[in-house]
Amino acid sequence: MKSSVLNGRPTFCFIDLEALRWNFQQVRARVGRGVKILSMVKADAYGHGARAVAAALAAEGSDAFGVATVEEGIDLRQAGIRQSIVVLAGLYLEQLDLLLQHELIPVLHELETLKALEKAVGARGMTWPIHLEIDTGMARLGFRDAQIDDWLPELSQLKALKLEGVFSHFSDAETANENYTEKQLKSFRVVIGHLRRATFAPSLIHMAKSGAIINVPESHLEMVRPGLILYGIYPSPELTKAIRLKPVLSWKTRILQLQRLPRGSAIGYGRTFTTKKTSLIATLPVGYADGYKRLFSNRAAVLVRSERAPVVGRVSMDLTTVDVTDIGKVQLGDEVVLLGRQGDAEISADEMAAWANTISYEILTSIGARVPRIHHHF
Ligand SMILES: *Cc1c(COP(=O)(O)O)cnc(C)c1O
C-alpha cells in the first residue's frame, strides 16, 4: 500500500470517513437504540479498507462486525478491533486454532461441521460461542427451515458450543411489499419459536441486510447487518427517498498523456474506436487490473473539468483512453474522476455497474489492491 503511494501513480480511492459515520447514524436512527448493529466489513469493507472503516465504525458504536473469512477477522483483530467478529462465509476446521486465538465467532450452517467443531472445541476443554444460519429460502448456506426435525435434536447434544446467535438472510427485501420477503421472515420466526421451545435462548436473532433495514422494519429483531448502506449506496433505486445516504468512496486519477489525433485514427486494442473528427484523446493510468472493467470499453464516461468524457477504445490492463475533445482547456495532469463527484457532475457506483451489466457491490469490491485507499476525516 505504502509503496503504491510512493511510486507516484496518481490513481487513488478516497474514503470519506465522515460520510461513513453519517450513514452509520442513519442506520442507528432507523433501527433505534435497542437494536444492535453488526457492520458488514467483508471483502475489505466492500473495497473501502476494512481496518480504517471498522475502526471508525467501532468508535461510532458498531456493536459487532461481519467478515467472510477467518483471515479477514484476524486482520481486524490486528488492527485493534475489540468488538465481536462473526465469520459468515465458511469455517474450515484447519483454521480452528486461529479462530480461537483471535476470538472470532464462527457461523455454523450444516451438521457435519457443527459436530466436528463441537468435538474439537470440547477436546480443548473450552466452550465457544457460535451463530447458526437458518436457510429460509435462499438455498445458499444454512440449516433448512423445513428440515428442522432433522437438525434441531442434534443441537441438544452441544456442550462445548454455545448458541449465541441465530440468523437468516433475505434473497431480496429491496423491492417493496415482496411476498417472498414476508414468507422468509415468517419461516424464520417459526424456527426461532421451535428453538425457544427446545429451551435454547440465543441472545442475538438477526436477519436484516441493507434493503430490509430500510424496507422491512419488522425484520430488525435484535440485531441488523448493514453492508451497502454504510458505504452510502442504495440497495435499490426505489429506496432513495426513504433514507439519505452519502457515498463514501471516490476514485480518481490524472491525465497521463494528451494527444490531438486526426480524423480516422484507430484507438486501442482491436481498433474498436476510430475518431470521426480531429480529436483530443487523454490516456489515463487506470485499467482493468485496477478494477476499471474491460466492459467499460466504449461505454463508460469519466469526469474532467466537471464534464463527461467518454471512454473510447478498449480499456486495457493498466491504461484507458477517453475523448476530451469537447471539453475546454484540458491539460496534462488534470484531475479525472472515475467514480464520485467533480463540481456538479457525478458518476455513481450504480451508473458504473450498469455499464458493466453488474451491481454496485461488484464495482466496489473489484477495485484492485493496486489502487491505494486514502482515508479522510479520521
Ligand atoms: C453481505 C451480507 C450482508 C450485507 O448485505 P448488504 O446488502 O450489503 O447490506 C448481510 N448478511 C449477510 C449474510 C451477508 O453475506
Side-chain angles (χ1 to χ4, degrees):
M1 220 54 134
K2 266 265 154 50
S3 63
S4 330
V5 174
L6 293 175
N7 75 12
R9 185 177 184 250
T11 305
F12 297 108
C13 283
F14 296 93
I15 313 298
D16 181 356
L17 296 175
E18 191 73 59
L20 179 78
R21 287 190 284 267
W22 165 275
N23 298 328
F24 180 86
Q25 290 308 340
Q26 304 316 298
V27 174
R28 176 50 81 210
R30 194 107 196 143
V31 301
R33 287 268 145 217
V35 174
K36 290 200 160 93
I37 299 177
L38 176 146
S39 301
M40 293 302 299
V41 293
K42 61 192 177 188
D44 202 26
Y46 292 42
H48 292 61
R51 287 171 161 239
V53 163
L57 292 175
E60 208 62 15
S62 181
D63 301 279
F65 292 95
V67 294
T69 66
V70 165
E71 287 79 359
E72 290 178 350
I74 294 172
D75 189 48
L76 293 188
R77 285 288 181 242
Q78 287 169 347
I81 299 299
R82 301 305 327 149
Q83 282 76 5
S84 293
I85 299 176
V86 183
V87 180
L88 284 119
L91 164 71
Y92 303 93
L93 287 179
E94 298 89 313
Q95 295 185 301
L96 179 57
D97 286 314
L98 285 172
L99 182 103
L100 299 175
Q101 185 189 333
H102 295 279
E103 300 189 16
L104 308 175
I105 301 175
V107 165
L108 276 300
H109 48 83
E110 55 86 44
L111 274 182
E112 207 175 305
T113 314
L114 179 77
K115 288 179 189 169
L117 184 68
E118 164 68 23
K119 213 169 143 193
V121 172
R124 284 166 173 77
M126 300 172 81
T127 62
W128 206 256
I130 62 166
H131 285 217
L132 211 63
E133 179 161 7
I134 310 299
D135 174 15
T136 53
M138 174 115 168
R140 192 176 67 174
L141 283 183
F143 291 92
R144 193 86 184 169
D145 49 5
Q147 291 158 9
I148 188 163
D149 294 338
D150 299 334
W151 53 262
L152 185 60
E154 298 286 344
L155 296 183
S156 322
Q157 313 295 318
L158 300 180
K159 292 194 176 64
L161 300 182
K162 303 292 172 202
L163 200 57
E164 175 193 84
V166 181
F167 74 99
S168 190
H169 196 41
F170 285 117
S171 65
D172 194 342
E174 279 79 70
T175 333
N177 304 319
E178 241 259 0
N179 271 335
Y180 202 79
T181 299
E182 279 170 36
K183 211 184 101 215
Q184 280 193 275
L185 181 57
K186 207 170 148 214
S187 302
F188 187 49
R189 286 188 194 281
V190 170
V191 168
I192 297 301
H194 280 295
L195 282 169
R196 292 223 161 104
R197 278 192 293 284
T199 72
F200 290 100
S203 55
L204 293 171
I205 312 288
H206 49 112
M207 187 154 193
K209 59 178 175 161
S210 294
I213 290 169
I214 303 175
N215 224 359
V216 194
E218 60 280 18
S219 74
H220 293 173
L221 308 174
E222 271 130 41
M223 186 162 79
V224 292
R225 302 190 306 269
L228 195 68
I229 52 178
L230 293 176
Y231 307 104
I233 299 172
Y234 295 89
S236 137
E238 295 169 42
L239 302 179
T240 50
K241 288 204 176 64
I243 187 169
R244 202 177 140 242
L245 303 173
K246 299 182 179 176
V248 174
L249 180 146
S250 46
W251 188 5
K252 299 179 185 176
T253 187
R254 291 187 181 277
I255 294 175
L256 174 65
Q257 178 168 334
L258 261 183
Q259 51 188 331
R260 197 161 294 279
L261 295 174
R263 177 174 180 269
S265 304
I267 296 177
Y269 286 123
R271 300 182 297 283
T272 60
F273 184 89
T274 304
T275 53
K276 285 159 204 73
K277 58 180 183 185
T278 302
S279 299
L280 189 61
I281 301 299
T283 304
L284 312 178
V286 66
Y288 60 75
D290 300 295
Y292 201 74
K293 293 182 172 287
R294 194 164 173 277
L295 277 172
F296 292 165
S297 304
N298 296 307
R299 292 177 94 174
V302 303
L303 304 177
V304 180
R305 298 193 173 240
S306 303
E307 292 191 54
R308 284 178 172 248
V311 169
V312 289
R314 284 214 177 118
V315 172
S316 55
M317 191 181 293
D318 314 306
L319 298 164
T320 296
T321 36
V322 298
D323 187 343
V324 293
T325 311
D326 298 331
I327 302 173
K329 295 200 197 118
V330 177
Q331 288 176 358
L332 200 67
D334 274 358
E335 181 194 80
V336 177
V337 170
L338 308 169
L339 169 59
R341 296 192 73 90
Q342 196 182 47
D344 291 333
E346 182 173 15
I347 290 170
S348 69
D350 282 315
E351 186 176 13
M352 272 186 139
W355 291 327
N357 304 326
T358 183
I359 54 175
S360 56
Y361 298 76
E362 196 190 41
I363 294 296
L364 294 173
T365 56
S366 299
I367 300 174
R370 191 165 74 178
V371 181
R373 290 2 184 226
I374 314 279
H375 295 88
H376 288 288
H377 304 124
F378 274 99

